[in-house]
Short mmCIF file of all heavy atoms in Angstrom, two decimals:
data_model
loop_
_atom_site.label_atom_id
_atom_site.label_comp_id
_atom_site.label_asym_id
_atom_site.label_seq_id
_atom_site.Cartn_x
_atom_site.Cartn_y
_atom_site.Cartn_z
N MET D 1 25.93 26.55 83.30
CA MET D 1 25.29 27.38 84.27
C MET D 1 23.78 27.31 84.01
O MET D 1 23.34 27.40 82.88
CB MET D 1 25.77 28.82 84.19
CG MET D 1 25.05 29.68 85.19
SD MET D 1 25.57 31.41 85.36
CE MET D 1 27.28 31.40 85.14
N PHE D 2 23.02 27.17 85.08
CA PHE D 2 21.56 27.17 84.99
C PHE D 2 21.07 28.59 85.21
O PHE D 2 21.44 29.25 86.16
CB PHE D 2 20.97 26.24 86.05
CG PHE D 2 19.48 26.28 86.11
CD1 PHE D 2 18.71 25.71 85.13
CD2 PHE D 2 18.85 26.91 87.16
CE1 PHE D 2 17.33 25.75 85.19
CE2 PHE D 2 17.47 26.96 87.24
CZ PHE D 2 16.71 26.38 86.24
N THR D 3 20.24 29.08 84.29
CA THR D 3 19.62 30.38 84.42
C THR D 3 18.11 30.17 84.47
O THR D 3 17.52 29.66 83.52
CB THR D 3 19.97 31.29 83.22
OG1 THR D 3 21.39 31.35 83.09
CG2 THR D 3 19.40 32.68 83.40
N PRO D 4 17.49 30.51 85.62
CA PRO D 4 16.04 30.30 85.75
C PRO D 4 15.26 31.20 84.79
O PRO D 4 15.81 32.16 84.26
CB PRO D 4 15.75 30.65 87.20
CG PRO D 4 16.94 31.32 87.73
CD PRO D 4 18.08 31.08 86.80
N PRO D 5 13.97 30.89 84.59
CA PRO D 5 13.17 31.73 83.70
C PRO D 5 13.02 33.14 84.25
O PRO D 5 13.17 33.36 85.45
CB PRO D 5 11.82 31.01 83.66
CG PRO D 5 11.78 30.18 84.89
CD PRO D 5 13.21 29.84 85.22
N SER D 6 12.71 34.07 83.37
CA SER D 6 12.53 35.46 83.80
C SER D 6 11.30 35.57 84.68
O SER D 6 10.34 34.83 84.53
CB SER D 6 12.40 36.37 82.59
OG SER D 6 11.22 36.06 81.88
N THR D 7 11.36 36.50 85.61
CA THR D 7 10.22 36.76 86.49
C THR D 7 9.60 38.11 86.20
O THR D 7 8.65 38.51 86.87
CB THR D 7 10.65 36.69 87.97
OG1 THR D 7 11.72 37.60 88.19
CG2 THR D 7 11.07 35.29 88.35
N ASP D 8 10.15 38.82 85.22
CA ASP D 8 9.60 40.12 84.83
C ASP D 8 8.32 39.91 84.03
O ASP D 8 8.22 39.00 83.21
CB ASP D 8 10.60 40.91 83.97
CG ASP D 8 11.86 41.26 84.73
OD1 ASP D 8 11.78 41.34 85.97
OD2 ASP D 8 12.91 41.44 84.10
N CYS D 9 7.35 40.77 84.26
CA CYS D 9 6.06 40.66 83.57
C CYS D 9 6.21 40.86 82.06
O CYS D 9 5.54 40.20 81.29
CB CYS D 9 5.07 41.68 84.13
SG CYS D 9 4.63 41.37 85.85
N GLY D 10 7.08 41.74 81.64
CA GLY D 10 7.22 42.05 80.22
C GLY D 10 8.16 41.14 79.47
O GLY D 10 8.22 41.19 78.25
N GLU D 11 8.88 40.29 80.16
CA GLU D 11 9.88 39.44 79.52
C GLU D 11 9.42 37.98 79.59
O GLU D 11 8.92 37.52 80.60
CB GLU D 11 11.23 39.59 80.24
CG GLU D 11 12.38 38.93 79.52
CD GLU D 11 13.69 39.17 80.24
OE1 GLU D 11 13.79 40.12 81.03
OE2 GLU D 11 14.62 38.40 79.99
N THR D 12 9.61 37.25 78.51
CA THR D 12 9.20 35.84 78.48
C THR D 12 10.38 34.95 78.09
O THR D 12 10.37 34.28 77.07
CB THR D 12 8.04 35.63 77.48
OG1 THR D 12 8.48 36.08 76.19
CG2 THR D 12 6.79 36.36 77.90
N ARG D 13 11.40 34.96 78.89
CA ARG D 13 12.59 34.15 78.65
C ARG D 13 12.45 32.85 79.44
O ARG D 13 12.15 32.84 80.62
CB ARG D 13 13.84 34.91 79.11
CG ARG D 13 15.13 34.14 78.93
CD ARG D 13 16.34 34.95 79.39
NE ARG D 13 16.16 35.63 80.66
CZ ARG D 13 16.33 35.07 81.85
NH1 ARG D 13 16.68 33.82 81.96
NH2 ARG D 13 16.17 35.77 82.95
N ASN D 14 12.69 31.72 78.77
CA ASN D 14 12.64 30.42 79.43
C ASN D 14 13.94 30.16 80.18
O ASN D 14 14.96 30.80 79.92
CB ASN D 14 12.44 29.31 78.40
CG ASN D 14 11.09 29.39 77.73
OD1 ASN D 14 10.09 29.64 78.37
ND2 ASN D 14 11.08 29.19 76.42
N ALA D 15 13.91 29.21 81.08
CA ALA D 15 15.12 28.79 81.77
C ALA D 15 16.07 28.17 80.75
O ALA D 15 15.63 27.59 79.75
CB ALA D 15 14.79 27.78 82.85
N THR D 16 17.37 28.31 80.98
CA THR D 16 18.36 27.75 80.07
C THR D 16 19.47 27.06 80.85
O THR D 16 19.70 27.36 82.03
CB THR D 16 19.00 28.82 79.17
OG1 THR D 16 19.64 29.80 79.98
CG2 THR D 16 17.99 29.47 78.25
N LEU D 17 20.14 26.16 80.19
CA LEU D 17 21.34 25.52 80.70
C LEU D 17 22.42 25.83 79.69
O LEU D 17 22.27 25.54 78.50
CB LEU D 17 21.12 24.02 80.84
CG LEU D 17 22.19 23.20 81.51
CD1 LEU D 17 22.40 23.68 82.96
CD2 LEU D 17 21.81 21.73 81.52
N GLY D 18 23.51 26.48 80.13
CA GLY D 18 24.52 26.91 79.18
C GLY D 18 25.93 26.58 79.60
O GLY D 18 26.24 26.45 80.78
N ILE D 19 26.79 26.43 78.60
CA ILE D 19 28.23 26.24 78.82
C ILE D 19 28.95 26.69 77.55
O ILE D 19 28.52 26.40 76.44
CB ILE D 19 28.57 24.77 79.16
CG1 ILE D 19 30.04 24.64 79.52
CG2 ILE D 19 28.22 23.85 78.03
CD1 ILE D 19 30.42 23.33 80.16
N GLY D 20 30.00 27.44 77.74
CA GLY D 20 30.84 27.89 76.62
C GLY D 20 30.10 28.60 75.51
O GLY D 20 30.38 28.39 74.34
N GLY D 21 29.13 29.43 75.85
CA GLY D 21 28.39 30.18 74.84
C GLY D 21 27.22 29.43 74.23
O GLY D 21 26.46 29.99 73.47
N LEU D 22 27.08 28.15 74.53
CA LEU D 22 25.95 27.37 74.04
C LEU D 22 24.86 27.36 75.10
O LEU D 22 25.15 27.25 76.29
CB LEU D 22 26.38 25.93 73.74
CG LEU D 22 27.49 25.76 72.71
CD1 LEU D 22 27.93 24.31 72.66
CD2 LEU D 22 27.02 26.22 71.35
N GLU D 23 23.60 27.46 74.67
CA GLU D 23 22.48 27.44 75.61
C GLU D 23 21.43 26.45 75.15
O GLU D 23 21.13 26.35 73.96
CB GLU D 23 21.84 28.83 75.75
CG GLU D 23 22.65 29.78 76.56
CD GLU D 23 21.87 31.04 76.89
OE1 GLU D 23 20.79 31.28 76.31
OE2 GLU D 23 22.35 31.79 77.74
N ILE D 24 20.87 25.73 76.11
CA ILE D 24 19.78 24.80 75.86
C ILE D 24 18.55 25.35 76.55
O ILE D 24 18.58 25.62 77.75
CB ILE D 24 20.10 23.39 76.39
CG1 ILE D 24 21.35 22.85 75.71
CG2 ILE D 24 18.91 22.45 76.20
CD1 ILE D 24 21.88 21.59 76.33
N ASP D 25 17.48 25.51 75.81
CA ASP D 25 16.22 26.01 76.35
C ASP D 25 15.55 24.89 77.14
O ASP D 25 15.36 23.79 76.64
CB ASP D 25 15.32 26.44 75.19
CG ASP D 25 14.07 27.14 75.65
OD1 ASP D 25 13.48 26.72 76.67
OD2 ASP D 25 13.66 28.10 74.99
N LEU D 26 15.24 25.18 78.41
CA LEU D 26 14.63 24.18 79.28
C LEU D 26 13.14 24.46 79.47
O LEU D 26 12.61 24.36 80.57
CB LEU D 26 15.35 24.15 80.63
CG LEU D 26 16.83 23.82 80.59
CD1 LEU D 26 17.43 23.92 81.97
CD2 LEU D 26 17.05 22.44 80.01
N ARG D 27 12.48 24.76 78.42
CA ARG D 27 11.06 25.14 78.46
C ARG D 27 10.20 24.11 79.17
O ARG D 27 9.32 24.45 79.94
CB ARG D 27 10.57 25.31 77.03
CG ARG D 27 9.13 25.66 76.87
CD ARG D 27 8.80 25.89 75.43
NE ARG D 27 9.95 26.55 74.82
CZ ARG D 27 10.10 26.79 73.54
NH1 ARG D 27 9.17 26.42 72.71
NH2 ARG D 27 11.15 27.39 73.07
N TYR D 28 10.45 22.84 78.96
CA TYR D 28 9.59 21.80 79.52
C TYR D 28 10.11 21.19 80.81
O TYR D 28 9.37 20.54 81.53
CB TYR D 28 9.38 20.70 78.49
CG TYR D 28 8.81 21.23 77.20
CD1 TYR D 28 9.57 21.31 76.06
CD2 TYR D 28 7.49 21.69 77.16
CE1 TYR D 28 9.06 21.83 74.88
CE2 TYR D 28 6.96 22.22 75.99
CZ TYR D 28 7.75 22.28 74.85
OH TYR D 28 7.24 22.79 73.70
N SER D 29 11.38 21.39 81.12
CA SER D 29 11.96 20.71 82.28
C SER D 29 12.56 21.65 83.32
O SER D 29 13.16 21.19 84.28
CB SER D 29 13.02 19.72 81.82
OG SER D 29 14.06 20.41 81.13
N SER D 30 12.42 22.95 83.18
CA SER D 30 13.09 23.87 84.09
C SER D 30 12.66 23.71 85.53
O SER D 30 13.49 23.74 86.44
CB SER D 30 12.92 25.32 83.64
OG SER D 30 11.57 25.70 83.70
N SER D 31 11.37 23.52 85.80
CA SER D 31 10.93 23.40 87.19
C SER D 31 11.47 22.11 87.82
O SER D 31 11.84 22.09 88.99
CB SER D 31 9.41 23.45 87.30
OG SER D 31 8.82 22.36 86.61
N ILE D 32 11.56 21.05 87.04
CA ILE D 32 12.12 19.79 87.53
C ILE D 32 13.60 19.97 87.84
O ILE D 32 14.10 19.52 88.88
CB ILE D 32 11.91 18.66 86.51
CG1 ILE D 32 10.42 18.38 86.35
CG2 ILE D 32 12.66 17.40 86.90
CD1 ILE D 32 10.07 17.52 85.16
N PHE D 33 14.32 20.67 86.96
CA PHE D 33 15.75 20.89 87.17
C PHE D 33 15.99 21.80 88.37
O PHE D 33 16.91 21.56 89.16
CB PHE D 33 16.38 21.48 85.90
CG PHE D 33 17.88 21.40 85.89
CD1 PHE D 33 18.52 20.18 85.89
CD2 PHE D 33 18.65 22.55 85.90
CE1 PHE D 33 19.91 20.10 85.88
CE2 PHE D 33 20.02 22.48 85.89
CZ PHE D 33 20.65 21.26 85.89
N GLU D 34 15.18 22.82 88.56
CA GLU D 34 15.30 23.69 89.73
C GLU D 34 15.09 22.89 91.02
O GLU D 34 15.83 23.06 91.99
CB GLU D 34 14.29 24.84 89.67
CG GLU D 34 14.68 25.93 88.70
CD GLU D 34 13.67 27.05 88.70
OE1 GLU D 34 12.67 26.95 87.96
OE2 GLU D 34 13.90 28.04 89.44
N ASP D 35 14.09 22.00 91.02
CA ASP D 35 13.86 21.14 92.19
C ASP D 35 15.06 20.24 92.45
O ASP D 35 15.46 20.04 93.60
CB ASP D 35 12.61 20.28 91.99
CG ASP D 35 11.32 21.09 92.01
OD1 ASP D 35 11.35 22.26 92.46
OD2 ASP D 35 10.30 20.55 91.57
N PHE D 36 15.64 19.70 91.39
CA PHE D 36 16.83 18.85 91.52
C PHE D 36 17.99 19.63 92.15
O PHE D 36 18.64 19.15 93.08
CB PHE D 36 17.23 18.30 90.16
CG PHE D 36 18.56 17.61 90.15
CD1 PHE D 36 18.71 16.34 90.69
CD2 PHE D 36 19.67 18.24 89.61
CE1 PHE D 36 19.94 15.71 90.69
CE2 PHE D 36 20.90 17.61 89.60
CZ PHE D 36 21.05 16.34 90.14
N LEU D 37 18.25 20.83 91.64
CA LEU D 37 19.35 21.64 92.18
C LEU D 37 19.11 21.98 93.65
O LEU D 37 20.04 21.94 94.47
CB LEU D 37 19.53 22.92 91.36
CG LEU D 37 20.09 22.75 89.97
CD1 LEU D 37 20.09 24.09 89.24
CD2 LEU D 37 21.47 22.14 89.98
N HIS D 38 17.87 22.31 93.99
CA HIS D 38 17.55 22.61 95.39
C HIS D 38 17.79 21.38 96.27
O HIS D 38 18.39 21.49 97.34
CB HIS D 38 16.10 23.09 95.51
CG HIS D 38 15.67 23.27 96.92
ND1 HIS D 38 16.12 24.32 97.70
CD2 HIS D 38 14.88 22.53 97.71
CE1 HIS D 38 15.60 24.20 98.92
NE2 HIS D 38 14.85 23.11 98.95
N THR D 39 17.32 20.22 95.82
CA THR D 39 17.50 18.98 96.59
C THR D 39 18.98 18.66 96.76
O THR D 39 19.41 18.27 97.86
CB THR D 39 16.77 17.81 95.90
OG1 THR D 39 15.38 18.14 95.81
CG2 THR D 39 16.95 16.52 96.66
N MET D 40 19.77 18.84 95.72
CA MET D 40 21.22 18.58 95.83
C MET D 40 21.87 19.54 96.82
O MET D 40 22.76 19.14 97.58
CB MET D 40 21.89 18.69 94.45
CG MET D 40 21.47 17.59 93.49
SD MET D 40 21.77 15.91 94.11
CE MET D 40 23.54 15.89 94.16
N SER D 41 21.44 20.78 96.85
CA SER D 41 21.98 21.76 97.81
C SER D 41 21.64 21.36 99.25
O SER D 41 22.47 21.48 100.14
CB SER D 41 21.44 23.16 97.52
OG SER D 41 21.90 23.62 96.30
N VAL D 42 20.41 20.88 99.46
CA VAL D 42 19.99 20.44 100.79
C VAL D 42 20.82 19.23 101.22
O VAL D 42 21.30 19.17 102.36
CB VAL D 42 18.47 20.12 100.81
CG1 VAL D 42 18.07 19.41 102.09
CG2 VAL D 42 17.67 21.38 100.61
N ILE D 43 21.00 18.28 100.32
CA ILE D 43 21.81 17.09 100.62
C ILE D 43 23.24 17.49 100.96
O ILE D 43 23.83 17.00 101.92
CB ILE D 43 21.78 16.10 99.45
CG1 ILE D 43 20.39 15.48 99.32
CG2 ILE D 43 22.86 15.02 99.61
CD1 ILE D 43 20.18 14.69 98.04
N GLN D 44 23.80 18.40 100.19
CA GLN D 44 25.18 18.85 100.43
C GLN D 44 25.30 19.55 101.78
O GLN D 44 26.26 19.31 102.52
CB GLN D 44 25.62 19.79 99.32
CG GLN D 44 27.06 20.21 99.43
CD GLN D 44 27.49 21.07 98.28
OE1 GLN D 44 26.66 21.66 97.59
NE2 GLN D 44 28.78 21.15 98.04
N ALA D 45 24.35 20.40 102.12
CA ALA D 45 24.39 21.09 103.41
C ALA D 45 24.26 20.10 104.56
O ALA D 45 24.98 20.20 105.56
CB ALA D 45 23.28 22.13 103.47
N GLU D 46 23.37 19.13 104.43
CA GLU D 46 23.19 18.12 105.47
C GLU D 46 24.44 17.25 105.61
O GLU D 46 24.85 16.92 106.72
CB GLU D 46 21.96 17.25 105.15
CG GLU D 46 21.64 16.21 106.18
CD GLU D 46 21.22 16.80 107.54
OE1 GLU D 46 20.91 18.00 107.62
OE2 GLU D 46 21.22 16.04 108.52
N PHE D 47 25.06 16.90 104.50
CA PHE D 47 26.30 16.13 104.54
C PHE D 47 27.39 16.91 105.28
O PHE D 47 28.09 16.37 106.13
CB PHE D 47 26.77 15.78 103.13
CG PHE D 47 28.05 15.00 103.11
CD1 PHE D 47 28.06 13.65 103.37
CD2 PHE D 47 29.25 15.64 102.83
CE1 PHE D 47 29.24 12.93 103.35
CE2 PHE D 47 30.44 14.93 102.82
CZ PHE D 47 30.44 13.57 103.08
N GLY D 48 27.52 18.19 104.95
CA GLY D 48 28.51 19.03 105.62
C GLY D 48 28.24 19.13 107.12
O GLY D 48 29.16 19.07 107.93
N ARG D 49 26.97 19.27 107.48
CA ARG D 49 26.60 19.35 108.89
C ARG D 49 26.93 18.04 109.61
O ARG D 49 27.52 18.06 110.68
CB ARG D 49 25.11 19.66 109.02
CG ARG D 49 24.67 19.92 110.47
CD ARG D 49 23.17 20.06 110.58
NE ARG D 49 22.45 18.83 110.32
CZ ARG D 49 22.33 17.82 111.18
NH1 ARG D 49 22.91 17.90 112.36
NH2 ARG D 49 21.65 16.75 110.86
N ARG D 50 26.59 16.93 109.01
CA ARG D 50 26.82 15.63 109.65
C ARG D 50 28.30 15.25 109.70
O ARG D 50 28.72 14.52 110.59
CB ARG D 50 26.05 14.54 108.94
CG ARG D 50 24.57 14.63 109.19
CD ARG D 50 23.85 13.51 108.50
NE ARG D 50 22.42 13.66 108.68
CZ ARG D 50 21.60 12.64 108.86
NH1 ARG D 50 22.07 11.41 108.88
NH2 ARG D 50 20.32 12.85 109.01
N SER D 51 29.07 15.72 108.74
CA SER D 51 30.50 15.38 108.73
C SER D 51 31.29 16.26 109.69
O SER D 51 32.48 16.04 109.88
CB SER D 51 31.07 15.49 107.31
OG SER D 51 31.08 16.84 106.89
N GLY D 52 30.64 17.25 110.28
CA GLY D 52 31.28 18.12 111.26
C GLY D 52 32.26 19.09 110.64
O GLY D 52 33.21 19.51 111.29
N ALA D 53 32.04 19.45 109.40
CA ALA D 53 32.92 20.40 108.74
C ALA D 53 32.89 21.73 109.49
O ALA D 53 31.83 22.26 109.77
CB ALA D 53 32.49 20.60 107.29
N THR D 54 34.07 22.24 109.84
CA THR D 54 34.14 23.51 110.57
C THR D 54 34.20 24.70 109.63
O THR D 54 33.75 25.78 109.96
CB THR D 54 35.36 23.54 111.50
OG1 THR D 54 36.53 23.29 110.72
CG2 THR D 54 35.22 22.48 112.59
N ALA D 55 34.78 24.50 108.45
CA ALA D 55 34.87 25.58 107.47
C ALA D 55 33.95 25.23 106.31
O ALA D 55 33.78 24.07 105.98
CB ALA D 55 36.31 25.74 106.97
N PRO D 56 33.36 26.23 105.66
CA PRO D 56 32.51 25.93 104.51
C PRO D 56 33.31 25.24 103.42
O PRO D 56 34.37 25.71 103.04
CB PRO D 56 32.03 27.29 104.04
CG PRO D 56 32.38 28.26 105.10
CD PRO D 56 33.44 27.63 105.96
N ALA D 57 32.82 24.11 102.97
CA ALA D 57 33.50 23.37 101.90
C ALA D 57 33.20 24.01 100.56
O ALA D 57 32.21 24.70 100.41
CB ALA D 57 33.02 21.92 101.92
N ALA D 58 34.07 23.75 99.60
CA ALA D 58 33.79 24.21 98.24
C ALA D 58 32.54 23.50 97.77
O ALA D 58 32.40 22.30 97.92
CB ALA D 58 34.98 23.88 97.33
N THR D 59 31.62 24.24 97.22
CA THR D 59 30.33 23.65 96.87
C THR D 59 30.28 23.22 95.42
O THR D 59 30.84 23.88 94.55
CB THR D 59 29.19 24.63 97.15
OG1 THR D 59 29.43 25.81 96.41
CG2 THR D 59 29.08 24.94 98.62
N ALA D 60 29.59 22.14 95.16
CA ALA D 60 29.38 21.68 93.80
C ALA D 60 28.27 22.47 93.14
O ALA D 60 28.26 22.69 91.95
CB ALA D 60 29.04 20.19 93.80
N ILE D 61 27.32 22.90 93.96
CA ILE D 61 26.21 23.70 93.43
C ILE D 61 26.22 25.01 94.20
O ILE D 61 26.04 25.03 95.39
CB ILE D 61 24.87 22.98 93.62
CG1 ILE D 61 24.89 21.64 92.91
CG2 ILE D 61 23.72 23.85 93.14
CD1 ILE D 61 23.70 20.79 93.19
N VAL D 62 26.45 26.09 93.49
CA VAL D 62 26.54 27.40 94.14
C VAL D 62 25.50 28.31 93.53
O VAL D 62 25.40 28.43 92.32
CB VAL D 62 27.95 28.01 93.91
CG1 VAL D 62 28.03 29.38 94.50
CG2 VAL D 62 29.01 27.10 94.49
N GLU D 63 24.72 28.95 94.39
CA GLU D 63 23.75 29.91 93.87
C GLU D 63 24.50 31.20 93.61
O GLU D 63 25.15 31.76 94.48
CB GLU D 63 22.64 30.13 94.89
CG GLU D 63 21.54 30.98 94.34
CD GLU D 63 20.31 31.03 95.24
OE1 GLU D 63 20.23 30.25 96.17
OE2 GLU D 63 19.46 31.87 94.96
N CYS D 64 24.45 31.65 92.39
CA CYS D 64 25.16 32.85 91.98
C CYS D 64 24.21 34.03 92.02
O CYS D 64 23.00 33.87 92.04
CB CYS D 64 25.67 32.69 90.54
SG CYS D 64 26.81 31.32 90.35
N SER D 65 24.78 35.22 92.02
CA SER D 65 23.93 36.40 91.98
C SER D 65 23.15 36.41 90.68
O SER D 65 23.60 35.90 89.68
CB SER D 65 24.78 37.66 92.10
OG SER D 65 25.66 37.75 91.00
N GLY D 66 22.00 36.98 90.71
CA GLY D 66 21.17 37.03 89.52
C GLY D 66 20.26 35.83 89.37
O GLY D 66 19.62 35.65 88.36
N GLY D 67 20.22 34.97 90.38
CA GLY D 67 19.29 33.85 90.34
C GLY D 67 19.76 32.67 89.53
O GLY D 67 18.98 31.82 89.17
N SER D 68 21.03 32.60 89.19
CA SER D 68 21.54 31.49 88.41
C SER D 68 22.25 30.49 89.30
O SER D 68 22.72 30.82 90.37
CB SER D 68 22.54 31.99 87.36
OG SER D 68 21.91 32.88 86.49
N PHE D 69 22.30 29.27 88.84
CA PHE D 69 23.01 28.23 89.55
C PHE D 69 24.15 27.74 88.69
O PHE D 69 23.99 27.54 87.50
CB PHE D 69 22.09 27.03 89.84
CG PHE D 69 21.03 27.32 90.84
CD1 PHE D 69 19.79 27.77 90.46
CD2 PHE D 69 21.28 27.14 92.19
CE1 PHE D 69 18.79 28.02 91.39
CE2 PHE D 69 20.30 27.39 93.13
CZ PHE D 69 19.06 27.84 92.72
N ARG D 70 25.30 27.54 89.28
CA ARG D 70 26.42 26.96 88.56
C ARG D 70 26.55 25.53 89.02
O ARG D 70 26.59 25.25 90.20
CB ARG D 70 27.72 27.72 88.85
CG ARG D 70 28.90 27.16 88.09
CD ARG D 70 30.13 28.02 88.29
NE ARG D 70 29.95 29.35 87.75
CZ ARG D 70 30.18 29.69 86.49
NH1 ARG D 70 30.56 28.80 85.62
NH2 ARG D 70 30.02 30.93 86.11
N VAL D 71 26.57 24.61 88.07
CA VAL D 71 26.64 23.17 88.39
C VAL D 71 28.03 22.68 88.10
O VAL D 71 28.63 23.00 87.14
CB VAL D 71 25.62 22.39 87.55
CG1 VAL D 71 25.71 20.92 87.86
CG2 VAL D 71 24.23 22.91 87.77
#
């Protein structure tokens, strides 16, 4: 799961990528990874639109509550 950096003024938490209780600090690459996830979401939405999907397909990238992305 991707967790973006904190936006609170008093908190200085970096973005992380985690699975099974392990977390990787994305201090240097978080903005690049966020751009990648956004681009993949746009591609997926466009693919769904062009394929004429009538029902929302299960998504590979889902924006979760709290500002996190599940990959």
Side-chain angles (χ1 to χ4, degrees):
M1 178 175 324
F2 174 73
T3 305
S6 65
T7 56
D8 296 335
C9 295
E11 190 177 340
T12 57
R13 179 180 45 83
N14 294 318
T16 60
L17 188 60
I19 186 167
L22 301 173
E23 285 191 347
I24 299 170
D25 188 321
L26 300 176
R27 179 176 323 172
Y28 303 108
S29 60
S30 64
S31 63
I32 295 167
F33 195 64
E34 284 181 274
D35 291 344
F36 170 76
L37 290 175
H38 174 73
T39 301
M40 293 303 293
S41 294
V42 169
I43 291 169
Q44 185 177 20
E46 183 65 15
F47 179 79
R49 187 187 67 78
R50 289 182 184 217
S51 68
T54 56
T59 57
I61 301 172
V62 177
E63 187 170 349
C64 299
S65 63
S68 299
F69 290 92
R70 181 174 296 274
V71 179

